């Protein structure tokens, strides 16, 4: 089996879509190279007095359509190729939903569960200081991603503001509400996933009441998607997290599961018990018989080993890069439509954009307005991707990339190459 390199995956997808658009290599060559890559060594004095040095990254893939934008993840498996791929996906994500940003991503190689709160704060502050020369509200705007949250975004905002000598809320999004966060940001990615599920069901004329769902990942994205889909009347038959999965043929009570995880911090799905709920091994979630399968965890889940076993009718990608090139090919051959990550999980960055707009202007509005704007952008973008796929007889992923690449290349051509 070829070793999985997420950036090679991006390069292949970009080349194919650009060629389909009739572009010459020189038109899209810049998209195959991140504009800027930074690697930093982050010393942290641990609680026991020992000094540990962590490695962190910030990659800016593109700033052609606006400031670079993208989250920061804290995870032991972070590496430069992953961060490069994630930064490129941000460029295309922002382009496909047409918000005025380029793409970036950051990461630190660390398991934050093994750090105390104060170690985590020190790590975040020092990492922020080290990437501070290249971030800023008009330059590059971080946000939450895997294992990072509003509290951590608050530390980033404060560190950057202290270095500048004045408060700078627009440097980061996904902040706590008390320091210029936006109501609705936490649930935005999951809400966007829910809108996407409704949009795709509509196209296949499947009623919500007839739709069963399996979700891999029960963090901020998977958990929120589960909650909102359940609220809308979808039957969520299976969910999973790192500890394993839960299954119930006639539908899990998602509110009860969320209540359990909320009331018992640190407890995982394997600890949950309820009548009729079966415990299943985590990897079984991808084989669940259902209408929609939602991978909402990490990259490379649907690959040459797993894609052949998918029993869902449709895949909706809530994670970034959950399907490898080989996995994608297998799903296409099996006629299982895949709604691509850059469209489906864009809700988070769309509401990040609204937060940043509010910060830059110091004007604030109600959550209902935010959610309505999010729905509008998700529905419009889905419609454009669907129509492009139909017109060109291509997959939804190819269509999404065609739209995104066209927008970035056009902006590149108008701006030209400096000097
Ligand atoms: N980390 C999220 C993503 O992958 C959100 C990024 C942002 O809001 O800037 O889309």
């Amino acid at each position: 089996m070829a070793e999985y390199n997420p950036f090679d995956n991006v390069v292949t997808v970009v080349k194919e879509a650009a060629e389909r658009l009739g572009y010459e290599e020189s038109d899209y060559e810049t998209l195959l190279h991140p504009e800027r890559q930074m690697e930093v060594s982050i010393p942290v004095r641990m609680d026991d007095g020992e000094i540990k040095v962590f490695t962190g990254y910030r990659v800016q893939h593109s700033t052609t359509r606006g400031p670079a934008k993208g989250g920061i993840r804290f995870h032991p498996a972070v590496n430069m190729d992953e961060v490069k791929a994630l930064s490129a996906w941000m460029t295309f994500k922002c382009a496909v939903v047409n918000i005025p940003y380029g793409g970036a991503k950051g990461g630190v190689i660390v398991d934050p569960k093994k750090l105390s709160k104060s170690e985590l704060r020190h790590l975040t502050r020092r990492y922020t200081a080290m990437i501070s020369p290249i971030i800023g509200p008009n330059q590059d705007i971080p946000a939450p991603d895997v294992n990072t949250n509003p509290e951590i975004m608050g530390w980033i905002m404060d560190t950057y503001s202290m270095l500048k000598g004045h408060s700078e809320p627009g440097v980061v999004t996904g902040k706590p509400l008390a320091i210029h966060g936006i109501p609705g940001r936490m649930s935005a990615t999951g809400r966007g996933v829910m809108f996407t599920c409704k949009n795709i069901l509509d196209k296949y004329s499947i009623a919500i009441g007839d739709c069963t769902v399996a979700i891999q990942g029960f963090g901020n994205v998977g958990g929120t998607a589960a909650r909102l889909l359940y609220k809308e009347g979808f039957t969520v038959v299976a969910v999973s997290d790192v500890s394993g999965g839960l299954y119930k043929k006639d539908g899990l009570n998602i509110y009860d599961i969320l209540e359990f995880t909320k009331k018992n911090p640190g407890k995982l799905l394997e600890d949950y018990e309820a009548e009729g709920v079966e415990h299943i091994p985590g990897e079984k979630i991808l084989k669940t018989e259902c209408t929609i399968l939602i991978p909402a965890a990490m990259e490379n889940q649907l690959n040459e080993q797993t894609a052949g076993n998918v029993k869902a009718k449709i895949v909706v990608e809530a994670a970034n890069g959950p399907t490898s090139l080989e996995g994608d090919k297998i799903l296409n051959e099996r006629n299982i439509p895949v709604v691509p990550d850059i469209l489906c999980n864009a809700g988070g960055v769309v509401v990040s954009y609204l937060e940043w707009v509010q910060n830059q202007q110091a004007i604030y509005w109600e959550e209902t307005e935010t959610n309505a704007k999010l729905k509008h952008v998700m529905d419009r973008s889905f419609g454009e991707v669907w129509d492009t796929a139909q017109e060109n007889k291509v997959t939804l992923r190819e269509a999404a990339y065609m739209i995104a690449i066209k927008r970035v290349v056009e902006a590149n051509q108008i701006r030209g190459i400096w000097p």
Side-chain angles (χ1 to χ4, degrees), residues 335-408:
N335 287 322
I336 299 175
V338 179
V339 189
D341 48 2
I342 58 168
L343 168 67
C344 171
N345 73 23
V349 74
V350 169
V351 175
S352 274
Y353 164 61
L354 299 177
E355 178 177 336
W356 175 81
V357 166
Q358 292 193 346
N359 296 159
Q360 296 297 81
Q361 304 184 4
I363 292 176
Y364 294 87
W365 57 71
E366 301 290 321
E367 183 173 350
T368 46
E369 206 176 322
T370 301
N371 290 342
K373 284 187 161 75
L374 170 62
K375 182 174 185 329
H376 173 77
V377 174
M378 294 305 294
D379 290 352
R380 180 194 64 205
S381 310
F382 181 91
E384 286 172 1
V385 170
W386 181 268
D387 292 347
T388 302
Q390 299 294 307
E391 280 156 26
N392 296 278
K393 299 195 172 36
V394 295
T395 66
L396 295 171
R397 189 184 317 279
E398 286 167 319
Y401 274 89
M402 283 169 72
I403 294 171
I405 288 167
K406 197 161 175 228
R407 289 187 177 141
V408 183

Side-chain angles (χ1 to χ4, degrees), residues 149-398:
N149 56 28
E151 184 174 36
I152 293 174
M153 300 306 114
W155 296 332
I156 294 176
M157 180 273 203
D158 184 67
T159 305
Y160 185 84
S161 298
M162 288 301 108
L163 293 172
K164 288 284 150 187
H166 59 262
S167 186
E168 194 64 273
V171 66
V172 60
T173 58
K175 296 179 292 295
L177 298 184
I179 51 167
H180 306 271
I182 188 172
R185 173 62 186 86
M186 277 300 279
S187 55
T189 312
R191 189 175 298 279
V193 172
M194 180 269 285
F195 292 142
T196 305
C197 288
K198 283 184 155 183
N199 285 332
I200 190 81
L201 283 194
D202 214 38
K203 293 294 180 193
Y204 287 101
S205 306
I206 302 172
I208 291 179
D210 297 332
C211 181
T212 53
V213 184
I215 307 175
Q216 182 199 40
F218 208 63
N220 182 42
V221 177
T224 306
R227 173 170 64 82
L228 295 174
L229 289 167
Y230 182 69
K231 188 173 165 209
E232 293 293 314
F234 288 73
T235 306
V236 183
V237 292
V239 293
S240 73
D241 65 12
V242 284
S243 72
L246 302 174
Y247 177 80
K248 191 174 177 191
K249 195 167 183 232
D250 53 4
L252 296 160
N253 182 337
I254 297 298
Y255 289 163
D256 195 55
I257 301 172
L258 285 167
E259 187 66 17
F260 171 81
T261 48
K262 198 170 144 199
K263 274 203 184 133
N264 303 284
K267 291 243 181 202
L268 295 165
L269 294 180
E270 66 179 352
D271 305 309
Y272 176 84
E273 297 291 343
E275 215 191 300
V277 174
E278 219 181 291
H279 285 264
I280 57 168
E283 64 276 10
K284 230 180 138 182
I285 193 98
L286 302 176
K287 302 179 192 164
T288 308
E289 195 132 349
C290 57
T291 318
I292 300 182
L293 171 65
I294 306 181
M298 297 295 278
E299 300 96 68
N300 192 25
Q301 298 302 301
L302 297 171
N303 51 35
E304 61 190 310
Q305 271 142 21
T306 57
N309 300 322
V310 168
K311 294 194 186 69
K313 291 195 172 64
I314 303 166
V315 173
V316 168
E317 295 184 334
N320 288 312
T323 309
S324 73
L325 289 174
E326 297 78 14
D328 214 24
K329 206 164 154 239
I330 294 168
L331 293 172
N332 290 339
E333 281 163 8
R334 296 184 59 213
N335 287 322
I336 299 175
V338 179
V339 189
D341 48 2
I342 58 168
L343 168 67
C344 171
N345 73 23
V349 74
V350 169
V351 175
S352 274
Y353 164 61
L354 299 177
E355 178 177 336
W356 175 81
V357 166
Q358 292 193 346
N359 296 159
Q360 296 297 81
Q361 304 184 4
I363 292 176
Y364 294 87
W365 57 71
E366 301 290 321
E367 183 173 350
T368 46
E369 206 176 322
T370 301
N371 290 342
K373 284 187 161 75
L374 170 62
K375 182 174 185 329
H376 173 77
V377 174
M378 294 305 294
D379 290 352
R380 180 194 64 205
S381 310
F382 181 91
E384 286 172 1
V385 170
W386 181 268
D387 292 347
T388 302
Q390 299 294 307
E391 280 156 26
N392 296 278
K393 299 195 172 36
V394 295
T395 66
L396 295 171
R397 189 184 317 279
E398 286 167 319

Side-chain angles (χ1 to χ4, degrees), residues 59-101:
V59 177
Q60 295 166 351
H61 174 260
S62 171
T63 55
T64 302
R65 299 183 65 256
K69 183 84 189 83
I72 289 171
R73 67 171 57 177
F74 288 171
H75 195 277
V78 161
N79 60 70
M80 186 53 114
D81 278 324
E82 182 193 47
V83 181
K84 277 167 66 180
L86 288 161
S87 72
W89 285 325
M90 286 309 303
T91 300
F92 302 120
K93 191 183 300 186
C94 294
V96 81
V97 293
N98 215 358
I99 55 175
Y101 286 136

